[in-house]
C-alpha cells in the first residue's frame, strides 16, 4: 500500500500596508492655536506676514472650529465700504463689517496697512466703544463680534517689496495683538506631497531673495503649481520658469545659484 502524504502549503506572509498619507486632511498653521486663543478671548489680532502665507484660510478654519461666521473685506479706500450707505431710494446697503458687528462673527480686514487712515480711526472707535454709528442708526456690537486684521508690514509704511503700504499710527497698533505669520513648513510639505527637495529649494530661494534685496514672492502657490505640473510630466526647468521665476529678467534669475544646478 502506497501512502500519500498531502502537501501542506505554508501560509503566505501577511503584508503590512503602510498607512497612506491623507492628502485631503486639513493642515493647521503653527500659529493656529495662538490666533484662536486671542479670538476666543475677544482680543483683536493683527497678522503680519508675506503675501500668500495662508492668513485668510487659517482664519476660515478658526471660524469653523468656533462656530462663527466669517466676513472678509480687502483694503478699504472709501469709508462707505466699511460703514455702508443709504441710496437715493432710502435703502441701506450693508457691508461685511456691519453684518459682523450686528450679528456676530469674525470680521477680517486684509491689507489693513493699505487702507486709508480715516477708515482705521472708525475701526478703532468701534473696537473701543463696542457701538457704532452706521448711516441707518447706532448699533451695539454683538457679543460674538471679533476683529482680525492683516498686512504685509507692521505699520511701518512702504518698502521695496510692498510699495503701496501706509504707516499705521500707534493708536491703531495698540489695540491689536501683533502675531508674526510666516510660511509654515508643515503646510508646504503637505502641499508638495512630502517633496522635501522642492520645499528646501523654495526656502533657499527666499533666503537668497532677502539677502540680495530681490523683489520676489515664493508662496504656497508656487509649490502647488510645481507639484501639479511635475506630476503632469512637464520638464522641471520649464515648470520653474513659468511658476517660480515668472516675469524675472535673466540677470535676476542668475542671482539664484541654486537654480543653475537644477
Amino acid at each position: 500500500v502506497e501512502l500519500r502524504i498531502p502537501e501542506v502549503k505554508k501560509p503566505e506572509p501577511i503584508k503590512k500596508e503602510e498607512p497612506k498619507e491623507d492628502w485631503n486632511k486639513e493642515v493647521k498653521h503653527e500659529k493656529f492655536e495662538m490666533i484662536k486663543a486671542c479670538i476666543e478671548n475677544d482680543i483683536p489680532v493683527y497678522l503680519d506676514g508675506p503675501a500668500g502665507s495662508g492668513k485668510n484660510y487659517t482664519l476660515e478654519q478658526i471660524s469653523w472650529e468656533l462656530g462663527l461666521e466669517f466676513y472678509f473685506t480687502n483694503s478699504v479706500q472709501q469709508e462707505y465700504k466699511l460703514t455702508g450707505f443709504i441710496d437715493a431710494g432710502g435703502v441701506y446697503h450693508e457691508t461685511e463689517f456691519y453684518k459682523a458687528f450686528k450679528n456676530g462673527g469674525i470680521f477680517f480686514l486684509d491689507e489693513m496697512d493699505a487702507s486709508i487712515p480715516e477708515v482705521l480711526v472708525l475701526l478703532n472707535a468701534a473696537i473701543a466703544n463696542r457701538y457704532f454709528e452706521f448711516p441707518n442708526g447706532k448699533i451695539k456690537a454683538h457679543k460674538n463680534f471679533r476683529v482680525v486684521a492683516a498686512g504685509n508690514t507692521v505699520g511701518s509704511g512702504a518698502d521695496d517689496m510692498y510699495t503701496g503700504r501706509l504707516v499705521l499710527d500707534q493708536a491703531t497698533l495698540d489695540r491689536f495683538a501683533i502675531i508674526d505669520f510666516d510660511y509654515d513648513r508643515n503646510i508646504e510639505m503637505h502641499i508638495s506631497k512630502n517633496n522635501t527637495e522642492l520645499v528646501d529649494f523654495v526656502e533657499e530661494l527666499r533666503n537668497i531673495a532677502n539677502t540680495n534685496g530681490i523683489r520676489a514672492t515664493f508662496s504656497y502657490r508656487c509649490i502647488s503649481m510645481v507639484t501639479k505640473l511635475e506630476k503632469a510630466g512637464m520638464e522641471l526647468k520649464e515648470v520653474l520658469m513659468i511658476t517660480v521665476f515668472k516675469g524675472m529678467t535673466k540677470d535676476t534669475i542668475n542671482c539664484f545659484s541654486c537654480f543653475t544646478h537644477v
Side-chain angles (χ1 to χ4, degrees):
V1 178
E2 185 180 347
L3 294 177
R4 294 182 180 180
I5 301 174
E7 292 183 5
V8 179
K9 292 184 179 180
K10 293 182 179 179
E12 293 183 3
I14 299 173
K15 295 181 180 178
K16 291 184 179 180
E17 292 187 4
E18 294 184 6
K20 294 181 180 179
E21 183 78 31
D22 182 6
W23 299 114
N24 295 317
K25 184 179 68 175
E26 288 183 354
V27 180
K28 295 176 180 177
H29 193 277
E30 61 181 345
K31 298 293 177 67
F32 181 94
E33 294 299 335
M34 183 186 295
I35 299 166
K36 180 184 169 186
C38 290
I39 292 173
E40 283 182 305
N41 289 280
D42 197 11
I43 298 173
V45 180
Y46 181 86
L47 303 179
D48 161 46
S53 53
K55 297 182 281 289
N56 195 313
Y57 186 67
T58 294
L59 289 172
E60 283 190 279
Q61 286 179 308
I62 292 174
S63 72
W64 299 332
E65 260 198 32
L66 297 179
L68 296 173
E69 289 294 325
F70 180 71
Y71 301 93
F72 170 80
T73 297
N74 212 342
S75 64
V76 180
Q77 302 300 320
Q78 292 90 20
E79 286 187 27
Y80 74 86
K81 289 194 173 180
L82 189 75
T83 63
F85 67 95
I86 297 176
D87 63 21
V91 178
Y92 174 65
H93 292 258
E94 299 178 351
T95 62
E96 296 295 281
F97 173 68
Y98 175 85
K99 294 173 189 174
F101 199 83
K102 180 182 178 182
N103 305 319
I106 298 174
F107 172 67
F108 178 41
L109 175 58
D110 197 10
E111 297 188 14
M112 186 171 84
D113 52 351
S115 300
I116 60 173
E118 292 82 358
V119 167
L120 301 184
V121 170
L122 295 176
L123 187 61
N124 289 346
I127 293 172
N129 301 327
R130 303 294 293 182
Y131 63 81
F132 193 82
E133 191 73 43
F134 290 95
N136 62 338
K138 183 188 290 186
I139 292 180
K140 186 178 180 182
H142 191 281
K143 64 178 183 178
N144 291 329
F145 170 66
R146 300 290 186 269
V147 177
V148 180
N152 304 125
T153 64
V154 196
S156 54
D159 57 24
D160 291 337
M161 280 287 290
Y162 304 103
T163 57
R165 300 302 183 261
L166 303 173
V167 176
L168 299 178
D169 62 42
Q170 287 303 310
T172 298
L173 292 175
D174 185 53
R175 300 185 191 281
F176 291 84
I178 300 176
I179 297 177
D180 180 44
F181 195 94
D182 209 337
Y183 300 112
D184 188 314
R185 186 177 175 90
N186 287 332
I187 294 176
E188 292 177 327
M189 291 296 290
H190 181 76
I191 294 170
S192 68
K193 305 290 190 292
N194 282 339
N195 188 339
T196 305
E197 190 176 357
L198 173 59
V199 173
D200 288 344
F201 176 74
V202 171
E203 287 182 355
E204 188 175 353
L205 292 178
R206 290 182 192 138
N207 292 331
I208 293 172
N210 291 333
T211 302
N212 294 281
I214 299 171
R215 293 181 59 193
T217 301
F218 305 106
S219 67
Y220 298 149
R221 298 184 190 99
C222 290
I223 295 173
S224 177
M225 288 187 284
V226 172
T227 301
K228 290 176 181 177
L229 293 177
E230 260 203 302
K231 186 178 179 181
M234 281 186 64
E235 187 181 341
L236 180 57
K237 279 208 172 187
E238 290 180 351
V239 171
L240 295 177
M241 287 300 298
I242 66 174
T243 61
V244 178
F245 298 105
K246 49 191 176 184
M248 294 186 189
T249 64
K250 287 184 178 180
D251 289 339
T252 302
I253 295 173
N254 289 335
C255 294
F256 297 95
S257 55
C258 53
F259 175 62
T260 60
H261 298 98
V262 174

